[in-house]
């Protein structure tokens, strides 16, 4: 068996320990005579797995009791529709900070559905290389929430602050945050937010699962004529089991949470490791004239590091040689080109060391 | 390792050969150095897996070229909302045959969303023990489609005919069928239908994947203000990858399709096995005065066999003893009680033999 280093932006690397445990339990889960995939979602065995996963997730992030944690399907993109349908059912407008492609999609979807939307701030003037400052945000009088993307996976732009804002009348505005690509990468204060959501396929587990945290007071605001499976209140009341949930993905997410707690030592330890990984790669980029990253230092993503070569004609050979060296999926997003190294939790520090060494060698030979 | 016989209604048993192959490839897929779970959905490796799965599915069911096959999330219940949003966007009404709980949910959801709905037929008068005859169906003048549930998983009621219908003006009405619990159990004519859909967690693969087949002429009829991820046309154009699909579930479904083709020999062979399994179990029930099943013989489900004991006070001990004998998940749905044995494709004939033997022994000891 060979394992390579996988820098994919998502679906992304999973911890080897998690994959090995899943493998060992795949055909017969703990002597029960069946696979987790074959369990009724309402069986005692699966309910125990599901509840343990939620408890471990809550413990990792210190999720307060007045937040529901939902295990859903559809990806973060489904939330782009579910959010306004749940939060604007009684009027008001969605306010949006635009820092890249994902934030733009969240805004477009709310507009497509006919909801009132307002752009509260944007990094478009600087080419999405620095997030807008808190004091530049323009919140509308009818703001029902402020949506932002804490880490733009494609652009590699990460917020270095939480944009606490109020409406002109002084009323605090609930924050809604797409944390798909940096959730669980560091400790955070859940109570700063009204809704947090994240597709699983970066730091949580496999694709096909989406985690949503909703503060209790934001439940029950949906219009009555939205799809039942979109209604946070119904989903919360049914423990995310209005219908059959993605059981195996839920189980795998639970294994990832256990790995974070037991093998890594929690989110503070994970934070330190992620910081070292990012420092090593950005350090290598900054020390070189051959590699470059355009993002303002304070907003450089620790999870997704896009970089370009001084000579774009070398992109193809860079990627081919990296692949042969066991450094997989370094191609930049089709919309931006160049390279991108995603350094999610499951990407070990040795992977970054190997990448940095490869980059130095490549520059020496081809630069 | 122990493997028991699993009669769960869903998530249901998977073929052991599929689970073993998935286990062997879980940490390192065919020497690529990563798990299928860790592959970008846009990578050459995963696209090959996805395309092969679709090709194998099409071959098994002889899906004509003018049908799209979509690999989606959300379960059949999400289709209850997506269907009217896609098919009634230009007016008309949904017509529904009601033969049990799932058909009722499909109707309720369409009504919740505000669409015009018409009940074309119902087995409610006979307590959902026989499907309504074709000549009793009442199709509305504005029928845009006729929806029915080919097999009611909970009631154990299966259609023995395809309800080809026309509107009073003679125009043929597209059939929309929820085949969640009997798809792939036998050969069928896809071209009889406008839309076929099925949650994966019975005969296709793990929970978290839903297959939808849509005839080309039914694409592009959606309203423009429905969620993007609900629009069949957009999903079809993007090859089910508008956003990240449930990649691992898709891969596992592909393994199930290969198993059906290579290990079973295709759907005619599967059909014969399923018929033998059902004959054995219904035969045992009918030969006994202790066990009974209320469904009209022509409409008895081959996939889900509900039965009750002459003395309901023995239910608990029946289930406990069955469990100890390695016969799992025989409890009836919470809405109906009693027992239910689901005999999906992956439940081997030996499992039915073991169940029938256990039932005879139990009757002798306790009946």
């Amino acid at each position: 068996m060979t394992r390579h280093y996988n820098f994919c932006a998502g679906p992304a690397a999973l911890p080897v320990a998690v994959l090995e445990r899943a493998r060992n339990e795949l055909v017969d889960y703990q002597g029960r005579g069946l696979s987790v995939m074959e369990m009724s979602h309402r069986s005692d065995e699966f309910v125990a797995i599901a509840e343990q996963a939620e408890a471990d997730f809550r413990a990792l992030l210190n999720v307060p009791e007045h937040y529901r944690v939902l295990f859903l399907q559809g990806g973060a993109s489904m939330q782009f529709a579910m959010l306004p349908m749940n939060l604007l059912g009684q009027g008001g407008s969605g306010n949006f900070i635009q820092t890249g492609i994902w934030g733009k999609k969240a805004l477009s979807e709310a507009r497509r559905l006919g909801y009132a939307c307002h752009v509260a701030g944007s990094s478009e003037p600087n080419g999405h290389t620095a997030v807008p400052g808190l004091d530049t945000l323009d919140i509308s009088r009818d703001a029902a929430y402020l949506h932002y993307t804490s880490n733009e996976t494609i652009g590699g732009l990460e917020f270095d602050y939480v944009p606490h804002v109020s409406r002109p009348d002084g009323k605090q505005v609930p924050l809604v945050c797409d944390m798909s690509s940096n959730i669980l990468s560091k400790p955070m204060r859940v109570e700063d937010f009204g809704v947090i959501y994240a597709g699983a396929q970066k730091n949580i587990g496999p694709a096909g699962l989406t985690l949503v945290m909703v503060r209790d007071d934001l439940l029950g605001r949906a219009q009555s004529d939205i799809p039942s499976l979109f209604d946070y209140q119904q989903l919360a009341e049914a423990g995310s089991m209005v219908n059959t949930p993605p059981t195996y993905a839920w189980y795998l997410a639970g294994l990832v949470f256990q790995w974070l707690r037991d093998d890594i030592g929690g989110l503070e330890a994970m934070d330190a490791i992620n910081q070292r990984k990012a420092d090593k790669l950005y350090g290598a980029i900054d020390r070189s004239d051959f590699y470059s990253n355009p993002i303002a230092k304070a907003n450089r993503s620790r999870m997704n590091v896009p970089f370009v070569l001084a000579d774009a004609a070398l992109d193809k050979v860079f990627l081919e040689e990296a692949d042969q060296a066991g450094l997989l999926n370094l191609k930049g997003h089709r919309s931006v080109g160049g390279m991108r190294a995603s350094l999610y939790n499951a990407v070990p520090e040795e992977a970054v060391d190997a990448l940095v060494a490869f980059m130095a060698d490549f520059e020496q030979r081809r630069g």
Side-chain angles (χ1 to χ4, degrees), chain A:
Chain A
M1 196 187 72
T2 324
R3 285 278 303 175
H4 295 318
Y5 292 130
N6 181 12
F7 298 95
C8 190
L14 285 162
V16 181
V18 165
L19 294 173
E20 287 175 344
R21 180 156 163 205
R23 178 191 59 196
N24 297 343
E25 298 183 338
L26 195 139
V27 179
D28 177 16
Y29 176 74
Q30 302 188 354
R32 308 298 175 96
L34 77 177
S35 175
V36 172
M37 290 180 214
E38 302 175 294
M39 290 177 183
S40 167
H41 55 296
R42 304 205 187 274
S43 65
D44 294 344
E45 287 99 333
F46 184 75
V47 168
I49 289 169
E51 288 179 349
Q52 189 62 52
E54 180 178 338
D56 290 342
F57 179 77
R58 284 181 173 273
L60 281 169
L61 279 171
N62 287 315
V63 180
E65 279 193 15
H66 61 293
Y67 285 77
R68 298 306 104 213
V69 179
L70 308 177
F71 288 75
L72 307 181
Q73 300 185 54
S77 298
M78 196 71 97
Q79 294 306 311
F80 297 165
M82 286 172 72
L83 282 162
M85 283 178 157
N86 276 277
L87 302 182
L88 300 179
Q90 298 173 6
S93 75
N95 279 222
F96 293 81
I97 307 178
Q98 300 283 283
T99 52
I101 289 172
W102 292 105
K104 193 173 169 184
K105 287 191 183 201
L107 170 63
S108 302
E109 185 73 7
R111 280 191 173 140
R112 172 184 162 95
L113 299 174
Y115 292 99
C117 296
H118 169 75
V119 176
S122 173
S123 54
E124 203 166 339
N126 60 49
H128 298 308
T129 56
V131 307
L134 179 61
D135 56 356
T136 70
L137 299 179
D138 168 51
I139 305 301
S140 72
R141 286 190 301 176
D142 64 348
Y145 62 88
L146 175 66
H147 179 281
Y148 76 109
T149 313
S150 55
N151 183 70
E152 280 282 355
T153 318
I154 293 172
L157 189 67
E158 190 166 7
F159 270 78
D160 57 334
Y161 72 95
V162 174
H164 293 287
V165 293
S166 305
R167 300 198 308 209
D169 64 8
K171 205 174 163 192
Q172 221 186 3
V173 176
L175 295 178
V176 173
C177 189
D178 178 355
M179 294 194 186
S180 292
S181 50
N182 68 348
I183 196 165
L184 296 175
S185 69
K186 58 188 173 188
M188 57 170 286
R189 278 172 46 89
V190 171
E191 49 269 57
D192 285 342
F193 298 87
V195 181
I196 295 167
Y197 65 101
Q201 65 272 19
K202 286 96 160 63
N203 271 341
I204 292 173
L209 175 70
T210 311
L211 256 62
V212 182
M213 283 176 269
V214 189
R215 208 173 60 204
D216 281 348
D217 64 292
L218 297 175
L219 296 171
R221 296 190 180 189
Q223 290 162 262
S224 62
D225 62 348
I226 68 168
S228 322
L229 286 173
F230 272 27
D231 186 333
Y232 289 152
Q233 169 111 25
Q234 285 198 39
L235 291 162
E237 283 170 2
S240 306
M241 296 193 193
V242 170
N243 67 338
T244 313
T247 50
Y248 196 66
W250 192 329
Y251 151 79
L252 287 165
L255 296 186
V256 171
F257 303 151
Q258 288 178 36
W259 169 81
L260 273 169
R261 182 191 62 205
D262 301 336
D263 294 23
I264 297 297
L267 295 192
E268 290 187 12
M270 192 74 255
D271 188 25
I273 295 169
N274 283 332
Q275 192 59 48
R276 282 205 304 273
K277 282 152 56 182
D279 286 346
K280 281 180 176 178
L281 182 52
Y282 283 113
I285 290 169
D286 288 345
R287 279 192 305 275
S288 141
D289 292 328
F290 185 70
Y291 302 106
S292 63
N293 165 286
I295 308 297
K297 286 197 175 168
N299 298 135
R300 281 174 161 181
S301 167
R302 301 194 314 175
M303 294 288 108
N304 311 99
V305 184
F307 59 92
V308 295
L309 313 188
D311 178 3
L314 289 172
D315 284 7
K316 193 160 171 280
V317 64
F318 180 94
L319 290 168
E320 280 169 5
E321 290 188 10
D323 202 76
Q324 282 156 22
L327 305 168
L328 307 185
N329 295 313
L330 286 163
K331 194 173 177 181
H333 188 269
R334 58 211 151 100
S335 67
V336 292
M339 317 297 153
R340 175 175 49 171
S342 292
L343 310 182
Y344 298 123
N345 289 350
V347 175
E349 202 164 343
E350 309 88 80
V352 180
D353 294 337
L355 172 59
V356 166
F358 170 81
M359 288 167 68
D361 179 62
F362 186 87
E363 179 180 358
Q364 199 172 23
R365 287 184 292 107
R366 307 271 193 169

